[in-house]
Amino acid sequence: MNWSWTFFFEYLTNGFMFRGAWTTVWLSVISMTIGLGLGVVAAMMKMYGNAAVRYIAEFYIWLFRGTPVLIQLIIIYTGLPQLGIRLNVIESAILGLALNEGAYLAEIIRAGIMSVDKGQNDAARSVGMTWRERMYLVILPQATRTIIPPLGNQFNGMLKTTSLASVISMEELMRNAQMLAQINFRVLEVYSVAALWYLLLVSIWGLIQQRIEAHYEKPFGPAAAISPEAAKELKKAMQKAGATKV
Amino acid sequence: MTQGIQNAPHPERPAMTIDAPPPAARAATSRPTKALGAPIVLIENVQKAFGDNHVLRDVSMTIRQGEVVVICGRSGSGKSTLLRCIDQLETIDGGTIRAAGHLMGFREKNGKRVALRDAEIARQQRDLGMVFQNFNLFPHVSVIENIMMAPVRILKRPRAEVKAEARELLARVGLPEKENAYPRQLSGGQQQRVAIARALAMKPQVMLFDEPTSALDPEMISEVLDVMVDLSHQGMTMIVVTHEMGFARAAADRVVLMHGGEIVEEAPPEQFFTNPRSEHTKLFLSKILSH
Ligand SMILES: Nc1ncnc2c1ncn2[C@@H]1O[C@H](COP(=O)(O)OP(=O)(O)OP(=O)(O)O)[C@@H](O)[C@H]1O
Ligand SMILES: [Mg+2]
């Protein structure tokens, strides 16, 4: 057996690994936030746009859900310069992850909006709200309830998906582990530590997620009047999004 | 609050006979005739179809300021659609609707009609209030916020001033202590009264009611009707789709029967109930009263 506790503990307390984990965190948060913005816009375009606008949104969702993130990242970082579009590593990583995430979130957000009872829109219009006001004051606050749980699962996935950015040399947890592995060839020890870091990050997120969900589970109304069709739609979107917990 | 309308008839419940009206209805027959103002809702030759289904065929009607019109008719006759067209929740396919000084849904430009954009329609809708069968209160905010949301967030009026008004409205619908409750904590009748207060908060010139009591348990119907009768006494112009004939007798100036997307009878309540002209009305009345 060739397992070295010395190396294991050395990696566990290694500042380089810690910085990698930190990068993983902020890369996830930024990509998720931008992805959420893209998802909202794409969902709105798909639900309320005219034919051309809808088609653009559908194309975006189809394209980014239909191709591996790995290829998306590589094309953005190493392929786009051929077209004269040069993005640095960080920009490429964020752009790729956010575009990919946005495509998945669009479907989740759409299902969330559809879960709000139609009567809410009628009521909001009857007191004279514009489309923007209806969305902002009435529809989205209620859709949030249905969107929050799958959104949490998506962020869990994002924490791990960022490891793919290592192939474009984004210095996050995975990439830093690779670099350490190449110095001492203690492959098992260094990747075990990397795996532990991911477990830690995901577990911390799990605790945060629980608290957020507990907050949003408190009823404000009779189950927010979610229709059976909407519930089905939401379930489908969550499954498509690869959520484990439905 | 006015004296309750007890035993208001309902298609599903034993109803009063025409010869022996309940107290409220008797009071209604002796109520002073009120002076009606200028026309405030003008509906002319309105058409509306959903696909091949012609739901409104050439509906015309004029409602004057302060008038209370009750619309009845069997399921599918187009009552809700008519109200929704007046409030621009549906767009009409033909004809004209003028309400509260607006040409609803359109703008006239060089004699031609241009469909309004969402924000312009919203501006027109502020002058009409609507009450729905299913209340449709905003479940994510408290009762007082339900009432204050539109005046504060849309009209940008000062919060304190709106809050004072909202409290007055809550008192008017008999729920002064429910200010901080959430809709789900209220009974159906209470929710509907809050919904009326929410609509009134925009100071509408016309109130539209789409079967406001038909989703309610029988014992809650009168508390909502009381508020509506009150409102009519205060001079509100009201168009009410309902099968509560007790309300029609107590508050209506005119009762309208719709059938197959058309108005087939239009008469003062006494005449509507005792001497209807249309066969449809006779059939409708016999069904509703002989349960
Ligand atoms: N949004 C819609 N899309 C398609 N058809 C509709 C729509 N709304 C109403 N209809 C149809 O229009 C017709 C009239 O409906 P409406 O709701 O106006 O009737 P109503 O008189 O209010 O009936 P009820 O007493 O059942 O409420 C019905 O045949 C209904 O199926
Ligand atoms: Mg109806």
Side-chain angles (χ1 to χ4, degrees):
Chain A
M1 197 176 107
N2 185 17
W3 167 269
S4 163
W5 285 107
T6 323
F7 272 109
F8 178 77
F9 283 112
E10 141 66 17
Y11 290 138
L12 204 53
T13 52
N14 191 311
F16 194 54
M17 290 295 276
F18 176 81
R19 281 198 298 280
W22 174 240
T23 303
T24 292
V25 170
W26 65 249
L27 180 60
S28 299
V29 171
I30 293 177
S31 305
M32 191 75 188
T33 309
I34 297 174
L36 192 57
L38 288 170
V40 170
V41 171
M44 295 288 172
M45 286 169 69
K46 191 170 167 179
M47 293 184 79
Y48 303 105
N50 60 31
V53 167
R54 258 199 331 263
Y55 184 77
I56 293 170
E58 269 166 28
F59 178 77
Y60 159 66
I61 294 168
W62 172 77
L63 183 67
F64 280 87
R65 291 206 331 188
T67 53
V69 202
L70 194 54
I71 294 182
Q72 292 164 16
L73 286 167
I74 291 173
I75 286 180
I76 289 170
Y77 183 59
T78 57
L80 289 188
Q82 257 174 268
L83 304 177
I85 304 168
R86 243 163 267 277
L87 298 173
N88 68 30
V89 174
I90 296 177
E91 289 162 354
S92 302
I94 291 174
L95 183 67
L97 292 168
L99 279 171
N100 182 71
E101 192 61 32
Y104 283 93
L105 293 181
E107 290 297 289
I108 291 174
I109 290 160
R110 194 171 75 93
I113 290 173
M114 282 174 48
S115 76
V116 179
D117 185 65
K118 293 260 183 301
Q120 292 292 307
N121 193 49
D122 286 343
R125 293 186 70 191
S126 78
V127 290
M129 292 190 196
T130 60
W131 182 82
R132 225 175 240 278
E133 288 161 342
R134 301 199 289 277
M135 275 294 140
Y136 186 68
L137 296 172
V138 176
I139 309 293
L140 288 179
Q142 293 180 60
T144 306
R145 312 224 126 198
T146 24
I147 292 170
I148 288 282
L151 204 61
N153 293 340
Q154 286 297 112
F155 187 69
N156 174 312
M158 173 64 91
L159 283 167
K160 294 168 288 186
T161 307
T162 50
S163 63
L164 293 174
S166 63
V167 298
I168 59 166
S169 68
M170 175 80 197
E171 294 187 7
E172 41 66 70
L173 190 47
M174 181 67 189
R175 171 78 176 171
N176 287 7
Q178 281 170 352
M179 290 198 282
L180 287 178
Q182 275 159 23
I183 296 171
N184 298 309
F185 300 103
R186 285 287 164 182
V187 177
L188 185 58
E189 288 84 347
V190 74
Y191 286 121
S192 299
V193 168
L196 280 178
W197 270 112
Y198 281 112
L199 274 174
L200 179 71
L201 295 182
V202 166
S203 303
I204 293 173
W205 171 244
L207 291 177
I208 298 172
Q209 194 184 352
Q210 261 177 24
R211 303 196 72 161
I212 297 175
E213 283 183 21
H215 174 76
Y216 280 99
E217 262 161 23
K218 274 186 287 176
F220 47 51
I226 176 166
S227 66
E229 307 93 89
K232 242 198 264 154
E233 190 75 19
L234 182 72
K235 204 167 158 188
K236 258 200 341 232
M238 284 167 68
Q239 274 164 358
K240 266 197 217 159
T244 45
K245 211 175 68 187
V246 174
Chain B
M1 199 171 292
T2 49
Q3 199 213 330
I5 298 176
Q6 270 101 33
N7 311 321
H10 186 274
E12 267 73 59
R13 284 175 297 118
M16 62 185 178
T17 66
I18 290 189
D19 311 292
R26 216 177 301 122
T29 26
S30 61
R31 98 192 109 109
T33 41
K34 61 185 172 193
L36 299 177
I40 189 164
V41 179
L42 295 106
I43 301 166
E44 283 165 24
N45 310 106
V46 165
Q47 319 261 354
K48 174 70 187 174
F50 294 106
D52 295 339
N53 185 4
H54 287 263
V55 177
L56 297 180
R57 313 167 177 264
D58 205 30
V59 173
S60 299
M61 179 163 50
T62 302
I63 292 118
R64 296 159 64 129
Q65 200 153 14
E67 194 174 11
V68 177
V69 175
V70 161
I71 300 178
C72 46
R74 59 183 227 204
S75 180
S77 55
K79 309 179 296 290
S80 299
T81 306
L82 179 60
L83 284 196
R84 293 173 61 84
C85 285
I86 295 172
D87 202 22
Q88 287 299 300
L89 298 178
E90 307 282 358
T91 48
I92 55 178
D93 298 328
T96 310
I97 297 176
R98 285 175 205 279
H102 302 293
L103 173 61
M104 298 304 288
F106 297 95
R107 173 163 29 105
E108 254 157 354
K109 198 178 167 192
N110 309 329
K112 271 204 273 180
R113 272 195 199 179
V114 187
L116 292 179
R117 286 178 295 116
D118 176 74
E120 298 166 316
I121 290 176
R123 197 165 290 275
Q124 297 185 330
Q125 285 168 326
R126 290 172 200 174
D127 292 333
L128 307 181
M130 179 114 167
V131 174
F132 302 88
Q133 183 172 352
N134 299 321
F135 330 132
N136 294 337
L137 288 180
F138 304 132
H140 58 298
V141 294
S142 66
V143 162
I144 192 107
E145 292 297 335
N146 261 278
I147 300 171
M148 292 170 62
M149 188 186 283
V152 171
R153 306 299 290 268
I154 299 171
L155 300 182
K156 315 278 184 222
R157 293 181 47 208
R159 247 190 105 76
E161 185 186 304
V162 173
K163 190 159 195 166
E165 283 179 16
R167 285 188 169 140
E168 262 170 50
L169 284 170
L170 271 179
R172 215 164 126 187
V173 299
L175 293 168
E177 75 290 353
K178 295 294 185 191
E179 159 175 343
N180 294 315
Y182 275 72
R184 72 182 166 86
Q185 298 168 312
L186 303 182
S187 71
Q190 291 171 331
Q191 287 193 50
Q192 193 61 297
R193 286 186 277 155
V194 173
I196 293 172
R198 174 179 67 181
L200 290 175
M202 290 299 276
K203 306 191 175 138
Q205 299 182 38
V206 179
M207 285 284 284
L208 310 170
F209 295 81
D210 190 3
E211 303 207 36
T213 57
S214 55
L216 297 179
D217 290 338
E219 68 273 16
M220 291 168 186
I221 290 175
S222 63
E223 70 190 41
V224 172
L225 292 180
D226 283 348
V227 169
M228 290 167 59
V229 170
D230 245 13
L231 202 54
S232 74
H233 288 165
Q234 283 154 15
M236 177 60 77
T237 310
M238 294 162 65
I239 306 178
V240 185
V241 172
T242 185
H243 289 160
E244 294 295 335
M245 293 304 131
F247 174 80
R249 282 175 171 278
D253 298 294
R254 198 156 27 126
V255 185
V256 167
L257 186 88
M258 286 189 71
H259 183 86
E262 284 172 313
I263 291 176
V264 295
E265 179 104 30
E266 200 174 354
E270 312 85 69
Q271 190 190 325
F272 185 92
F273 290 115
T274 55
N275 192 19
R277 258 172 279 159
S278 164
E279 288 305 315
H280 293 301
T281 315
K282 288 173 192 161
L283 193 65
F284 176 81
L285 287 174
S286 73
K287 272 196 186 135
I288 212 169
L289 298 174
S290 68
H291 238 279

